[in-house]
Amino acid sequence: MGSISSEQQKQLLSKIATNQGHGENSPYFDGWKAYDNNPYHPIRNPKGVIQMGLAENQLCFDLIEDWIRRNPQASICTTEGVKEFKDIAIYQDYHGLPAFRQAVANFMGKVRGGRATFDPNRIVMGGGSTGANELLTFCLADPGDAFLVPSPYYPAFDRDLSWRTGVQLLPVVCESSNDFKITKAALELAYEKAQEAHINVKGLMVTNPSNPLGTILDRETLQTIVSFINEKNIHLISDEIYAATVFSQPKFISVAEIIEEEDVVCNRDLIHIVYSLSKDMGFPGFRVGIVYSYNDAVVNCGRKMSSFGLVSTQTQHLISSMLADDEFIENFIAESANRLATRYKIITRELSKVGIGCLKSNAGLFCWMDLRKLLKEATVEEEMVLWHMIIKDVKLNVSPGSSFHCTEPGWFRVCFANMDNETMEEALERIQSFVRQSEEAPVPAARSKRFKGNLQLSSKSRRMEEAIMSPCIMSPHSPLVSART
Amino acid sequence: MGSTSSEQQKNLLSKIATNHGHGEDSPYFDGWKAYDENPYHPTKNPDGVIQMGLAENQLCFDFIEDWIKRNPQASICTTEGIQEFKDTAIFQDYHGLPAFREAVAKFMGKVRGERVRFDPDRIVMGGGSTGANEMITFCLADPGDAFLIPSPYYPAFDRDLRWRTGVQLLPIICESSNDFKITKAALEMAYEKAQQANINVKGLMIINPSNPLGTILDKETLQTIVSFINQKNIHLICDEIYAATVFSQPKFISIAEIIEGDGSCNPNLIHIVYSLSKDMGFPGFRVGIIYSYNDEVVNCARKMSSFGLVSTQTQHLIASMLSDDEFIGKFIIENSNRLATRYKNIRRELDKVSIGCLKSNAGLFCWMDLRKLLKEPTLQEEMVLWGKIIKEVKLNFSPGSSFHCYEPGWFRVCFANMDDETMEIALKRLQKFVKRSKEKRCGSKEEILQKQSSAKHLIS
């Protein structure tokens, strides 16, 4: 049975299959390899790597499980629910179960405190927000077109928005000097650059609340953005998958609210929201992605496209029951926010004890931690060095800012909602020890020689380098999937 | 608040969004519209349209529901299963639950009578077979490249394989004169045409068992195909989603069996698409599978599967169900038996009015021959006949032209998506229609007698 060389494979397979568009050769994934090889366990492996690179919401499963127990009819497999099994199993209408769309629209409104209402007929399904983002891109842009994306941004956008679509991402650079706010000047600059390069900009993608910053867009910024996209006649895609993770003031403002304002002039055909239950509810496995567009043609086309990534009707059925329970949902949203707020307070307090600051934020499942003063030099290389130290010596997997396309080295995203209290404590103690050690023991000469000038890599670094650049041959237990967060 | 004209929309949206690649302007969908507007119900709407255009398998839900009741641990929502809720809800690894992959691999083997085994590590998820087919296309071909595909074929391939990928489909014409078999000559001809048109052929897509024909490929044809693709160094994608719907002899032969013994076949060219939509009757659960013998394709497809993973809630259920050997063994047999009964039934009743079908032994449908009811063997006449069948007979069949069949007059009739009573009514309606059509052509008996007696008057 023949086998073929990798050159032959290149011709045998598509360009998409053989390029790097899947993005998995980014160093972002190395942290997971380290975690995967040596995962922390309080008893079995107390010295293992603690996973803080995964933006998961694990804080409220007690509430959810309690609801599940009290609502057996929500499942098509219980005695109470099995009479619906057949109808659900054969239902493949890409409109989705009407009850599902109703419940999702209802939930989206509640998450926004009732300040916006959503039309169930505009709810379109996608294969998780991963599929939803790609679907919207296919609807709005042609290969070679571009979206502007404020940086720092979620790394997997490079795959989700670009890989199979052929659409480019052009960063709108945001800086720490003004807390990474999106400014009119930055938007205009990015747009100008595209014009000069003869790149056709079709839209602007914002993530609000932001991943990785954890901040929300204020009213002024939202109005600036809406004004900008209307002036340029380009689309606005607002990825609001962290909407319910807002845990303290100020309140979240959705683009859905802005376009209803009297003094706002907006062509609604340009406005689209991406949503999901992966972060707000903690259900990434259920692949509930949503495209909500104010543009009828996009709803129609998106709906046809959703055939490629519909939500399992078994899951639609469960979700439609859960999200239609107003009392449960209201309680859940409030409790989830409280628990996130508590985590955030703890982590920022403990970090500040060792003089580590985070960007002030009020949403998300993470902090944007400022380790710039621990860098020898403000370079990406030094950020990588620090990061590898954190993984190998501190045994924490945090995510380096460069993987989020942050232009200022030294920022790290630290997730805090994917572990229990004890693990969080352990992780914070390790960080505190590390910071204190760094302060007490300035880098030994040998080490600084190794990294000076960034020209010569030690054999150790070279091995790391190879690990980063080598083709990804994954074990069946690869955690790379987690990289989607 | 502005809105945009449709011309402006065309510029505002992508080409993909504004072309007709979604395929829904095809007449294939008109039948559904007629059904949607006037759906049959035995008591509420007995004169409504009976849906025979949907290839669904509804025959074994009693079996399945019984299993569900006996296996509460298969669900993450029951008392027995809830301790797994959290771990399942947060699991987003694109490898899928190991138990899911194991169970699917085992099921695929069982469906093929254990004549071949499948490796769980080659199982990759897709958003239903719809997503799986698109995904494999993205992995194997660039925009502008082409797949060859024997016609008649499943209409939605035009969307699934082409719409967002930019890949073309070139038909390999199969004819009723030899029961629509795929011949070497037809393969070569299609390939030649592509060469002449400077189109780069990257693969051959076959559906086995066939939709819409309901036939399976014999060993000789499979070997011809394998030989052909190896010679041209192009991929072979075998959509085997109807594998467990084979209800009578001869046995199904999977491509997996052909290449096992064949040292001359390059396994890097071989890929199988599978799903639980037809064999189990679970289209709503979106369980699509790519099984590739090419390691690179497995790796790439797995990364791509992020766009259409199976809900872990469903993976969990399926993992449990498909690993129950006893249940699965019984299900496969019972499913076959019930399909065989339906098939026999429909063939017998159609025979009574001299309507034939292509002889078949698989699928959820018959390929019915209504050529003699056409005034002329043209597409237009096929459409006229179809319009009549929907409006007057109130049955939604699917016209052969929607399957890219080159010979007018063939219709696909689904028989596994309704209960026995509805099937009876549908067949009666069809029999009446056929009798009426014959009478119209030859004159009714009364008309003939009248003519004869008038003639007698004239004579006497």
Side-chain angles (χ1 to χ4, degrees):
Chain A
M1 289 197 279
S3 71
I4 47 190
S5 72
S6 88
E7 194 47 49
Q8 284 168 314
Q9 279 281 36
K10 248 193 144 103
Q11 289 156 6
L12 202 55
L13 307 187
S14 66
K15 294 190 178 75
I16 284 175
T18 47
N19 69 22
Q20 301 295 318
H22 51 71
E24 288 192 20
N25 291 335
S26 137
Y28 187 46
F29 294 82
D30 285 356
W32 274 292
K33 287 176 206 164
Y35 167 76
D36 203 38
N37 292 334
N38 184 19
Y40 171 81
H41 187 278
I43 303 155
R44 291 193 295 254
N45 191 19
K47 292 202 169 64
V49 176
I50 297 178
Q51 175 64 278
M52 302 190 87
L54 199 48
E56 267 176 8
N57 186 352
Q58 293 191 26
L59 302 186
C60 286
F61 274 98
D62 55 331
L63 297 181
I64 290 165
E65 282 163 25
D66 174 67
W67 186 92
I68 298 274
R69 284 191 187 98
R70 289 185 290 108
N71 290 273
Q73 78 292 346
S75 163
I76 51 174
C77 296
T78 54
T79 326
E80 292 84 346
V82 76
K83 65 185 114 62
E84 299 201 62
F85 188 93
K86 176 182 165 182
D87 285 345
I88 298 291
I90 64 178
Y91 188 91
Q92 53 181 327
D93 185 336
Y94 57 33
H95 289 79
L97 293 169
F100 171 76
R101 282 184 286 116
Q102 292 274 4
V104 169
N106 182 44
F107 182 68
M108 286 173 72
K110 287 224 175 313
V111 164
R112 288 153 185 74
R115 296 181 296 280
T117 53
F118 294 86
D119 175 0
N121 292 325
R122 292 192 175 282
I123 301 273
V124 172
M125 295 179 280
S129 64
T130 301
N133 274 316
E134 187 196 48
L135 187 158
L136 202 43
T137 307
F138 269 122
C139 288
L140 304 180
D142 293 322
D145 287 344
F147 284 166
L148 304 180
V149 192
S151 68
Y153 64 83
Y154 167 54
F157 274 163
D158 292 327
R159 173 196 63 194
D160 300 350
L161 307 174
S162 295
W163 190 19
R164 306 192 305 181
T165 62
V167 170
Q168 313 184 49
L169 293 188
L170 305 174
V172 175
V173 179
C174 301
E175 298 173 334
S176 62
S177 52
N178 72 337
D179 293 332
F180 297 94
K181 278 191 171 24
I182 303 169
T183 63
K184 189 173 199 303
L187 289 167
E188 294 286 355
L189 181 63
Y191 190 82
E192 265 306 302
K193 279 182 76 172
Q195 299 287 92
E196 278 159 23
H198 299 293
I199 298 173
N200 186 27
V201 175
K202 282 311 281 288
L204 167 65
M205 161 71 90
V206 301
T207 312
N208 179 33
S210 163
N211 175 13
L213 304 175
T215 51
I216 61 173
L217 298 179
D218 58 36
R219 182 163 254 115
E220 197 192 334
T221 306
L222 279 159
Q223 283 167 343
T224 299
I225 284 170
V226 167
S227 180
F228 173 79
I229 60 112
N230 272 274
E231 191 212 288
K232 308 293 190 230
N233 198 34
I234 62 176
H235 294 280
L236 175 61
I237 304 150
S238 188
D239 183 330
E240 300 191 349
I241 68 172
Y242 288 97
T245 68
V246 177
F247 51 75
S248 65
Q249 293 293 335
K251 276 210 226 322
F252 175 61
I253 308 172
S254 167
V255 72
E257 299 170 55
I258 295 293
I259 63 174
E260 297 287 346
E261 286 178 3
E262 277 176 20
D263 51 345
V264 169
V265 172
C266 183
N267 178 1
R268 288 180 174 222
D269 284 336
L270 300 175
I271 308 294
H272 323 276
I273 296 175
V274 169
Y275 191 57
S276 153
L277 300 183
S278 301
K279 310 299 178 183
D280 286 354
M281 297 298 296
F283 296 159
F286 293 171
R287 315 314 298 150
V288 183
I290 302 290
V291 172
Y292 187 94
S293 176
Y294 290 87
N295 182 319
D296 292 347
V298 173
V299 170
N300 279 328
C301 171
R303 189 166 279 133
K304 292 172 170 70
M305 261 190 212
S306 66
S307 302
F308 298 111
L310 297 172
V311 177
S312 168
T313 45
Q314 177 188 19
T315 300
Q316 287 187 46
H317 186 267
L318 171 65
I319 295 304
S320 50
S321 195
M322 193 184 286
L323 299 194
D325 185 339
D326 283 347
E327 198 190 321
F328 166 72
I329 286 305
E330 279 157 23
N331 185 48
F332 177 90
I333 290 171
E335 189 55 26
S336 179
N338 287 342
R339 296 182 188 187
L340 287 168
T342 303
R343 279 287 165 99
Y344 177 81
K345 278 200 203 87
I346 291 172
I347 194 173
T348 48
R349 183 189 67 217
E350 296 303 311
L351 288 177
S352 62
K353 283 180 182 169
V354 285
I356 297 293
C358 292
L359 181 70
K360 184 160 181 291
S361 60
N362 67 326
L365 309 172
F366 33 69
C367 292
W368 189 236
M369 186 170 64
D370 185 356
L371 297 185
R372 285 177 293 174
K373 61 187 184 189
L374 296 187
L375 296 186
K376 277 167 246 352
E377 283 169 17
T379 61
V380 177
E381 290 79 7
E382 284 301 319
E383 179 181 284
M384 288 291 111
V385 166
L386 177 59
W387 181 47
H388 281 116
M389 239 188 262
I390 295 174
I391 295 177
K392 291 170 72 45
D393 301 341
V394 194
K395 302 252 183 37
L396 298 175
N397 179 31
V398 297
S399 310
S402 48
S403 61
F404 295 88
H405 301 278
C406 184
T407 50
E408 298 174 44
W411 293 89
F412 289 77
R413 190 192 74 171
V414 186
C415 297
F416 57 64
N418 61 313
M419 62 192 69
D420 58 33
N421 287 330
E422 292 69 31
T423 310
M424 172 104 278
E425 254 186 65
E426 168 70 24
L428 288 169
E429 271 168 30
R430 290 185 189 183
I431 294 179
Q432 288 168 332
S433 292
F434 170 71
V435 174
R436 287 191 192 109
Q437 273 163 28
S438 304
E439 282 163 358
E440 287 157 13
V443 172
R447 211 193 257 168
S448 49
K449 257 194 215 149
R450 187 196 297 161
F451 299 123
K452 199 168 165 182
N454 299 317
L455 294 174
Q456 291 285 338
L457 290 178
S458 72
S459 62
K460 194 168 159 203
S461 302
R462 199 175 295 124
R463 277 203 300 281
M464 280 184 221
E465 197 83 348
E466 279 165 359
I468 293 168
M469 304 314 266
S470 69
C472 285
I473 299 163
M474 292 300 119
S475 81
H477 305 292
S478 168
L480 287 195
V481 58
S482 314
R484 269 181 271 113
T485 51
Chain B
M1 282 181 292
S3 68
T4 44
S5 72
S6 86
E7 194 45 50
Q8 285 168 315
Q9 282 281 36
K10 249 196 145 100
N11 296 330
L12 202 56
L13 307 188
S14 67
K15 292 191 179 75
I16 283 174
T18 47
N19 68 21
H20 296 283
H22 50 73
E24 287 190 24
D25 299 331
S26 136
Y28 185 48
F29 292 86
D30 287 353
W32 267 296
K33 289 177 200 156
Y35 168 76
D36 277 338
E37 281 154 19
N38 185 20
Y40 169 82
H41 186 276
T43 45
K44 293 198 283 240
N45 190 20
D47 286 327
V49 176
I50 296 178
Q51 175 63 282
M52 302 188 88
L54 201 47
E56 267 178 7
N57 184 353
Q58 293 191 24
L59 302 185
C60 285
F61 274 100
D62 55 332
F63 234 70
I64 289 165
E65 282 162 25
D66 172 69
W67 186 92
I68 297 276
K69 288 180 180 121
R70 289 184 291 107
N71 290 273
Q73 78 292 345
S75 163
I76 54 174
C77 295
T78 54
T79 326
E80 292 82 347
I82 195 173
Q83 73 266 15
E84 300 201 53
F85 188 93
K86 176 180 165 181
D87 284 346
T88 302
I90 64 178
F91 186 89
Q92 51 178 330
D93 185 338
Y94 56 34
H95 289 79
L97 292 171
F100 170 77
R101 280 184 287 114
E102 296 269 359
V104 169
K106 203 152 64 131
F107 181 68
M108 287 173 70
K110 281 213 178 328
V111 163
R112 289 152 185 75
E114 312 277 24
R115 294 181 293 280
V116 69
R117 291 172 57 101
F118 292 88
D119 176 1
D121 290 337
R122 292 191 175 284
I123 300 273
V124 175
M125 295 179 279
S129 63
T130 301
N133 274 315
E134 186 194 49
M135 191 156 79
I136 191 78
T137 306
F138 269 122
C139 288
L140 303 181
D142 294 321
D145 288 344
F147 285 166
L148 302 180
I149 181 159
S151 71
Y153 63 84
Y154 168 56
F157 272 161
D158 291 329
R159 173 196 66 191
D160 300 350
L161 306 174
R162 296 186 323 168
W163 191 20
R164 306 193 303 181
T165 61
V167 170
Q168 312 185 50
L169 290 185
L170 304 175
I172 295 162
I173 296 170
C174 302
E175 297 172 334
S176 62
S177 52
N178 70 337
D179 292 334
F180 297 95
K181 277 190 169 27
I182 303 168
T183 63
K184 188 173 199 306
L187 289 166
E188 294 287 354
M189 178 153 86
Y191 189 84
E192 262 308 299
K193 276 182 80 169
Q195 297 289 91
Q196 281 159 17
N198 284 324
I199 298 173
N200 187 25
V201 174
K202 281 312 280 289
L204 167 64
M205 161 71 89
I206 60 176
I207 314 173
N208 180 33
S210 163
N211 177 11
L213 304 175
T215 50
I216 60 173
L217 298 180
D218 58 36
K219 195 174 197 141
E220 196 191 336
T221 307
L222 281 161
Q223 283 166 340
T224 300
I225 285 170
V226 167
S227 180
F228 173 77
I229 60 114
N230 271 277
Q231 194 214 56
K232 310 289 191 236
N233 197 34
I234 63 177
H235 293 279
L236 178 61
I237 304 145
C238 291
D239 183 328
E240 299 191 347
I241 69 173
Y242 288 96
T245 67
V246 177
F247 51 77
S248 64
Q249 293 293 336
K251 276 211 227 320
F252 176 60
I253 308 171
S254 166
I255 191 69
E257 300 172 53
I258 296 294
I259 66 169
E260 285 272 312
D262 186 353
S264 66
C265 178
N266 179 0
N268 286 308
L269 300 175
I270 310 295
H271 324 274
I272 297 175
V273 169
Y274 191 58
S275 155
L276 300 183
S277 301
K278 310 298 177 181
D279 285 355
M280 297 296 297
F282 295 160
F285 293 171
R286 315 313 299 150
V287 183
I289 301 291
I290 286 178
Y291 188 94
S292 176
Y293 291 87
N294 182 319
D295 292 348
E296 283 292 314
V297 171
V298 172
N299 278 327
C300 173
R302 189 165 281 134
K303 294 173 172 65
M304 261 190 212
S305 65
S306 303
F307 297 110
L309 296 172
V310 177
S311 168
T312 46
Q313 178 187 20
T314 299
Q315 287 187 46
H316 187 271
L317 170 67
I318 296 303
S320 195
M321 193 184 287
L322 299 192
S323 53
D324 184 337
D325 286 345
E326 199 191 324
F327 167 72
I328 288 303
K330 285 205 185 110
F331 176 89
I332 291 172
I333 294 170
E334 190 58 26
N335 186 38
S336 272
N337 288 343
R338 296 182 188 188
L339 287 168
T341 302
R342 279 286 164 101
Y343 176 79
K344 276 200 206 88
N345 210 10
I346 199 175
R347 291 299 312 267
R348 185 189 63 230
E349 296 304 312
L350 289 177
D351 269 347
K352 286 181 183 168
V353 285
S354 307
I355 295 292
C357 294
L358 181 70
K359 186 161 181 291
S360 61
N361 67 326
L364 309 173
F365 33 70
C366 289
W367 189 236
M368 188 169 65
D369 185 356
L370 297 185
R371 286 178 293 174
K372 59 190 180 188
L373 297 187
L374 297 185
K375 283 190 206 43
E376 286 166 18
T378 62
L379 174 56
Q380 291 80 351
E381 284 302 317
E382 180 181 283
M383 289 289 109
V384 163
L385 176 59
W386 182 48
K388 262 194 222 153
I389 292 173
I390 295 179
K391 291 201 183 65
E392 295 168 20
V393 195
K394 304 257 182 44
L395 297 174
N396 179 30
F397 296 155
S398 311
S401 48
S402 61
F403 295 88
H404 301 278
C405 183
Y406 281 73
E407 297 173 43
W410 292 90
F411 288 77
R412 189 192 75 171
V413 186
C414 297
F415 57 63
N417 63 312
M418 64 194 69
D419 58 33
D420 289 330
E421 291 73 27
T422 310
M423 173 104 277
E424 252 187 72
I425 292 181
L427 287 169
K428 284 208 180 81
R429 289 185 187 180
L430 188 55
Q431 286 169 333
K432 264 203 211 134
F433 171 73
V434 173
K435 285 189 189 125
R436 275 203 316 264
S437 304
K438 285 199 179 128
E439 282 160 13
K440 276 204 186 116
R441 277 206 306 280
C442 323
S444 67
K445 275 196 182 141
E446 290 86 16
E447 281 174 14
I448 292 170
L449 287 173
Q450 251 190 4
K451 278 186 190 152
Q452 285 172 342
S453 71
S454 315
K456 274 193 193 138
H457 270 295
L458 287 173
I459 295 167
S460 61

